[in-house]
């Protein structure tokens, strides 16, 4: 291939489609597709499945420790959106890349409502996928001749907070609720009148020995005035790294540190001068996410109210900014203000927990095999749901209520299933008479964003026994191939699987970052639970992940075509191999507990909302700290030493604070009983 052809292929791979302007600078080049410019035909005109490898050989590298750390650099070329010839681009992309892109454009259209649970848009998605399965001649897989597998599930339940009483007064002067202060969603009930102690940022231990407390700090009988966030520089920017900030400056952690030291109530304030920070009182709804409900009143006040408190209680009359600067530098920890300043706070808060019953549909179709292998199976899948308007899942608060199109996550994977259904059907039609080929099940899952609900239901109610499945190929976010880097996880989950994959990887023209374990957080995990080898294909994280910016015009159809070509060849190869793959338990994948700190526990956490509180252990890897400490599948971790574990966040925080060789006491719920286990932690490396 000439240098010009190679450059042109890169242009096609990243051009802004449908007229959206794009400036993706790379390689100091500028290429224009003008209406009258001759454009040579591309090598990618070859039929899908015949193999690429025409742009140099592929290579295999090790993936990062965490799946979220795989984020290749953009390597694209600026094009002139005003003169680009879109028709020529799509003709050069070829029919499969164009078809894939059309599916992504359709599924990410607002008409499908972000494919959220319990929406008409998700029902339409089910019908859309079934239409194409029928179009390609796939057979129904589910009982009664259905392409759809309905299932019901309950959300973990939302906690509704109602504030019956909320009053605040400073030195007898009542303040107006919603204007001067608000009761926060993690507040408890109480009626307190007490003097005030400034507790700075309320951080027990930070980088460089930073702390807001000393060993003798006792806040009993005092109301704590707490700054939000963490130490800042003169420009109001964070002093600490994002990781340190996340670990030490979370409000739940800070408020627990204050409450544990005996504070009678907490008064939170946004520090003045913080860059890009909201200068507003939080809503009750948003502040429910500040952590578990406390047993003491928790309110937030305006900076003006906090200013009146500190200036009245400081004989030098220092303003709130001055106190913030002292806390930034670590010059002060907790400081008792003059007892002449008293705060009276009364809260009566009610919490009710409710769950929501939802329904979903998996959609599947069969490409029937032939010969002696026809009763064995290759499975190709992806999830077709997304988060709608951001009403559930780990959505940034600023994006709640906004439509999330979900082009890469995961219209890209769903489109991949549909394209492979077409190309593999065509390949089977052209197969030699007498050639042994396994059947292929194409299936898309609902409820992945709610905790792998659809694939877990499929695993528990599969119309095909796992003993007949040789390999599952999962696509979750394959729409953003950059720098020709693709991540494939699960390569050690089948005996001899990596040896089978290597020649395909090396002929792909791509750099394949492999990880032996599965993703632990997508639908391949449900197949690992069944004892089925499964691969997870992923083009990496990006700033648009799970946001309204995940639009169809941002995806890379040429890159997707290369990925699907690779998957086509792997699937066809696997379909014809005489021996079925045996499942092998791999080392913990990057979506499990590895990579969050210097130690690894060795569990596969249960996904979704299986328990009210704590972390459900789905399975335990052999030879790990968890296994040697006596943990078993079905246990629920509820306590780590003296710290309560309510979810994965608290578990990860504990892992980050320990070193290999530390022995910790982990309390689990097992068959309704609390069991204490002494667990000696091991390093976070592979195995």
């Amino acid at each position: 291939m000439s240098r010009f052809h190679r450059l042109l292929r890169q242009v096609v791979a990243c051009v802004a489609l449908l007229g959206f302007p794009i400036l993706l600078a790379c390689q100091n080049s500028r290429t224009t597709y003008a209406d009258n410019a001759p454009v040579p035909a591309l090598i990618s005109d070859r039929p899908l499945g015949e193999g690429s490898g025409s742009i140099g050989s592929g290579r295999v590298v090790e993936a990062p420790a965490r799946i979220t750390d795989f984020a290749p650099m953009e390597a694209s070329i600026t094009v002139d959106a005003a003169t680009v010839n879109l028709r020529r681009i799509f003709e050069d992309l070829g029919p499969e890349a164009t078809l894939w892109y059309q599916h992504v454009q359709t599924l990410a259209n607002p008409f499908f409502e972000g494919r959220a649970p319990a929406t008409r848009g998700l029902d339409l998605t089910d019908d859309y996928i079934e239409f194409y399965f029928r179009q390609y001649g796939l057979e129904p897989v589910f009982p009664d001749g259905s392409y759809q597998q309905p299932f019901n599930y309950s959300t973990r339940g939302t906690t509704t907070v109602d504030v019956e009483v909320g009053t605040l007064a400073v030195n007898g002067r009542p303040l107006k609720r919603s204007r001067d202060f608000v009761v926060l969603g993690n507040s408890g009930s109480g009626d307190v009148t007490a003097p005030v102690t400034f507790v700075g940022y309320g951080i027990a231990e930070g980088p460089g020995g930073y702390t807001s407390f000393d060993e003798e700090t006792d806040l009993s009988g005092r109301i704590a005035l707490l700054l939000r966030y963490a130490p800042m520089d003169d420009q109001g920017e964070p002093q600490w790294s994002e990781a340190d900030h996340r670990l030490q400056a979370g409000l739940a952690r800070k408020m627990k540190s204050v409450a544990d030291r005996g504070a009678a109530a907490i008064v939170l304030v946004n520090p003045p001068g913080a860059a890009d920070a909201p200068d507003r009182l939080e809503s009750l709804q948003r502040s429910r996410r500040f952590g578990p409900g406390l047993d003491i009143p928790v309110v937030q006040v305006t900076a003006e109210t906090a200013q009146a408190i500190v200036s009245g209680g400081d004989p030098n009359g220092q303003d709130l900014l001055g106190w913030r600067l002292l806390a930034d530098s670590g010059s002060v920890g907790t400081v008792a203000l003059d007892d002449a300043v008293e705060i009276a706070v009364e809260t009566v808060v009610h919490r009710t927990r409710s769950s929501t019953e939802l329904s979903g549909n998996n959609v599947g179709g069969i490409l029937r095999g032939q010969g002696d292998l026809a009763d064995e199976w290759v499975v190709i899948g992806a999830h077709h749901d997304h988060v709608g308007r951001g009403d559930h899942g780990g959505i940034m608060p600023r994006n709640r209520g906004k439509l999330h199109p979900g082009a890469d996550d995961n219209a890209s994977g769903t489109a991949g299933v549909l394209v492979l259904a077409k190309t593999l059907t065509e390949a089977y039609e052209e197969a030699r008479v007498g050639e042994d080929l396994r059947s292929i099940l194409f299936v898309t899952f609902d409820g992945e964003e709610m905790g792998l609900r659809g694939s877990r239901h499929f695993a528990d109610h599969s119309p095909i026994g796992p003993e007949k499945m040789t390999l599952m190929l999962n696509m979750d976010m394959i729409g953003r191939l950059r720098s020709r880097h693709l991540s494939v996880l699960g390569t050690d989950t089948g005996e001899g699987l990596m040896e089978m994959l290597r020649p395909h990887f090396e002929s792909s023209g791509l750099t394949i970052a492999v990880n032996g374990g599965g993703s632990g957080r997508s639908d391949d995990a449900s197949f690992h639970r069944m004892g089925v080898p499964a691969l997870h294909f992923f083009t990496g994280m990006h700033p648009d992940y799970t946001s309204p910016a995940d639009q169809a015009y941002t995806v890379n159809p040429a890159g997707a075509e290369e990925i699907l070509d690779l998957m086509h060849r792997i699937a066809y190869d696997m379909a014809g191999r005489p021996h079925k793959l045996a499942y092998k338990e791999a080392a913990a994948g990057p979506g499990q507990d590895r990579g969050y700190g210097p130690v690894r526990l060795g569990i596969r956490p249960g996904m979704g909302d299986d328990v009210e509180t704590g972390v459900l252990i789905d399975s335990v890897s052999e030879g790990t700290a968890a296994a040697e400490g006596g943990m078993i599948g079905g246990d629920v971790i509820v306590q780590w030493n003296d710290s309560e574990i309510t979810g994965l966040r608290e578990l990860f925080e504990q892992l980050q604070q320990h070193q290999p060789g530390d022995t910790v006491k982990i309390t689990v719920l097992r068959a309704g009983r609390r069991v204490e286990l002494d667990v000696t932690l091991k390093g976070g490396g592979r195995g």
Side-chain angles (χ1 to χ4, degrees):
M1 172 181 279
S2 70
R3 183 176 182 276
F4 176 78
H5 279 73
R6 193 172 294 114
L7 180 64
L8 183 56
R9 186 179 179 92
Q10 290 172 324
V11 173
V12 173
C14 63
V15 68
L17 297 174
L18 298 187
F20 285 92
I22 189 167
L23 293 174
L24 298 175
C26 179
Q27 301 179 7
N28 298 317
S29 301
R30 180 178 180 85
T31 302
T32 301
Y33 257 29
D35 285 338
N36 58 355
V39 181
L42 296 183
I43 298 299
S44 62
D45 287 341
R46 54 160 170 72
L48 192 72
E50 289 189 358
S52 55
S54 55
I55 309 178
S57 61
R59 62 193 184 105
V60 178
V61 299
E62 186 173 354
R66 294 184 296 184
I67 189 171
T68 51
D69 287 341
F70 183 74
M73 295 292 293
E74 187 64 73
S76 53
I77 298 171
T78 301
V79 297
D80 189 340
T83 58
V84 66
N85 185 332
L86 287 175
R87 175 174 177 172
R88 182 63 61 86
I89 285 177
F90 282 111
E91 289 173 350
D92 289 337
L93 281 170
E96 282 78 26
T98 299
L99 177 62
W100 176 87
Y101 182 66
Q102 289 172 336
H103 285 314
V104 173
Q105 281 277 20
T106 301
L107 293 168
N109 190 289
F111 183 75
F112 285 81
E113 302 179 84
R115 307 188 305 284
T119 61
R120 176 175 175 269
L122 193 56
D123 293 340
L124 291 170
T125 302
D126 300 337
D127 293 342
Y128 181 87
I129 297 165
E130 179 179 333
F131 170 85
Y132 279 96
F133 284 173
R134 289 179 180 272
Q135 188 90 344
Y136 301 142
L138 302 186
E139 301 173 18
V141 60
F142 300 115
D144 301 322
S146 177
Y147 290 87
Q148 298 190 24
Q149 182 187 42
F151 62 95
N152 299 312
Y153 61 99
S154 299
T155 63
R156 181 169 180 169
T158 56
T159 299
T160 302
V161 180
D162 177 62
V163 178
E164 181 182 341
V165 177
T167 63
L168 183 70
V170 178
N171 284 344
R173 181 175 67 87
L175 301 178
K176 185 173 179 57
R177 187 171 155 192
S178 299
R179 184 193 69 187
D180 304 317
F181 79 98
V182 291
V183 179
L184 294 178
N186 62 332
S187 175
S189 299
D191 187 356
V192 178
T193 300
V196 181
T197 293
F198 176 74
V199 297
Y201 290 104
I203 291 171
E205 183 180 357
Y210 183 96
T211 181
S212 302
F213 311 108
D214 56 41
E215 292 182 3
E216 289 76 36
T217 298
D218 183 0
L219 301 174
S220 300
R222 313 284 298 187
I223 291 177
L225 179 62
L226 173 67
L227 295 177
R228 198 168 177 179
Y229 312 125
M232 295 175 268
D233 61 21
D234 292 343
Q235 306 302 313
E237 299 286 352
Q239 292 184 25
W240 298 349
S241 69
E242 182 179 349
D244 286 330
H245 192 281
R246 183 174 62 248
L247 178 62
Q248 304 295 346
L251 274 171
R253 188 182 193 86
K254 290 169 40 162
M255 289 185 178
K256 186 176 187 300
S257 294
V258 172
D260 286 348
R261 288 166 173 80
I266 297 174
V267 175
L268 179 71
V269 62
N270 291 347
D276 300 323
D279 183 21
R280 63 172 185 269
L281 297 173
E282 292 289 352
S283 69
L284 191 65
Q285 173 72 16
R286 283 168 51 93
S287 60
R288 284 194 300 108
R289 301 183 178 90
F290 288 177
L294 299 176
D295 295 328
I296 59 176
V298 183
V299 299
Q300 181 189 18
V301 299
T302 63
E304 292 77 16
T305 299
Q307 172 62 46
I309 294 170
V310 298
S311 60
D314 181 354
N316 298 318
Q318 186 162 230
D319 63 11
L320 184 62
L321 178 59
W323 283 98
R324 191 213 95 185
L325 295 174
L326 290 172
D328 289 340
S329 66
S331 301
V332 300
T334 57
V335 179
L337 302 182
D338 193 318
D339 287 0
V341 175
E342 277 193 335
I343 292 179
V345 56
E346 182 181 4
T347 57
V348 177
V349 178
H350 301 288
R351 281 184 171 77
T352 56
R353 191 174 187 85
S354 62
S355 61
T356 303
E357 296 295 323
L358 296 172
S359 61
N361 282 290
N362 299 322
V363 187
I366 294 171
L367 173 58
R368 190 68 63 181
Q370 62 183 34
D372 293 340
L373 297 175
D375 199 34
E376 292 184 10
W377 297 81
V378 173
V379 182
I380 298 176
H383 75 90
H384 61 252
D385 64 308
H386 196 50
V387 299
R389 295 191 173 273
D391 297 325
H392 65 272
I395 307 301
M396 295 291 289
R398 66 174 179 271
N399 289 331
R400 293 190 180 275
K402 300 177 182 177
L403 183 72
H404 290 59
D408 190 25
D409 186 15
N410 188 31
S412 67
T414 302
V417 171
L418 295 177
V419 171
L420 287 176
K422 176 179 182 292
T423 62
L424 284 164
T425 296
E426 293 168 350
Y428 270 42
E429 289 172 351
E430 297 172 2
R432 299 187 308 273
V433 175
E435 181 180 1
D436 293 333
L437 288 171
R438 290 179 174 85
S439 298
I440 300 180
L441 170 64
F442 298 92
V443 58
T444 66
F445 303 108
D446 198 350
E448 191 269 357
E449 300 285 2
M450 304 297 287
L452 311 189
R453 299 297 187 149
S455 59
R456 294 190 69 165
H457 179 84
F458 178 87
D460 293 338
H461 303 86
S462 175
I464 300 163
E467 72 282 357
K468 294 186 176 182
M469 300 180 189
T470 190
L471 181 66
M472 189 267 182
L473 308 177
N474 182 54
M475 289 172 274
D476 197 342
M477 296 174 60
I478 62 162
R480 297 282 194 99
L481 188 70
R482 288 153 287 168
S483 304
R484 307 185 62 75
H485 280 65
L486 172 70
S487 176
V488 180
L489 301 96
T491 53
D492 288 344
T493 60
E495 295 286 352
L497 178 56
M498 186 61 208
E499 289 77 6
M500 186 276 285
L501 293 170
R502 186 174 293 278
H504 293 298
F505 289 167
E506 292 179 346
S507 67
S508 68
L510 302 172
T511 296
I512 311 290
V514 300
N515 187 286
S519 71
R521 55 191 291 160
S522 188
D523 295 309
D524 57 307
S526 297
F527 284 80
H528 293 313
R529 288 177 64 239
M530 298 168 70
V532 175
L535 299 174
H536 177 80
F537 293 78
F538 175 58
T539 53
M541 300 298 293
H542 47 76
D544 301 332
Y545 169 68
T546 315
S547 83
D550 187 13
Q551 300 275 353
Y553 66 82
T554 65
V555 298
N556 177 355
E561 190 269 349
E562 291 195 80
I563 295 166
L564 295 175
D565 172 65
L566 171 64
M567 295 184 68
H568 178 112
R569 288 184 286 116
I570 291 171
Y572 198 94
D573 183 358
M574 209 63 236
R577 291 200 167 227
H579 301 296
K580 178 179 172 293
L581 278 178
Y583 179 71
K584 183 176 73 171
E585 181 76 27
Q592 300 167 43
D593 68 9
R594 183 168 71 88
Y596 292 92
V599 296
R600 174 190 166 213
L601 192 55
I603 66 169
R604 187 191 300 276
M607 298 298 294
D609 308 321
D610 301 287
V611 294
E612 282 289 305
T613 188
V615 174
L616 173 67
I617 299 176
D618 190 76
S619 61
V620 176
S621 298
E622 293 183 9
T624 61
E628 294 176 2
M631 303 173 101
I632 60 175
D635 286 349
V636 179
I637 300 173
V638 294
Q639 190 167 324
W640 182 295
N641 289 334
D642 295 328
S643 299
E644 182 184 7
I645 302 296
T646 61
L648 284 171
R649 182 185 299 274
E650 290 84 9
L651 180 60
F652 295 153
E653 287 178 353
Q654 294 297 334
L655 288 168
Q656 288 173 316
Q657 297 178 47
H658 287 279
Q659 296 297 323
D662 290 353
T663 298
V664 298
K665 189 174 294 296
I666 297 178
T667 303
V668 301
L669 292 179
R670 181 179 296 170
R673 297 187 304 108
R674 291 176 70 91
V675 179
E676 291 187 351
L677 302 170
D678 290 323
V679 178
T680 300
L681 300 172
K682 295 187 175 186
R686 191 181 300 272

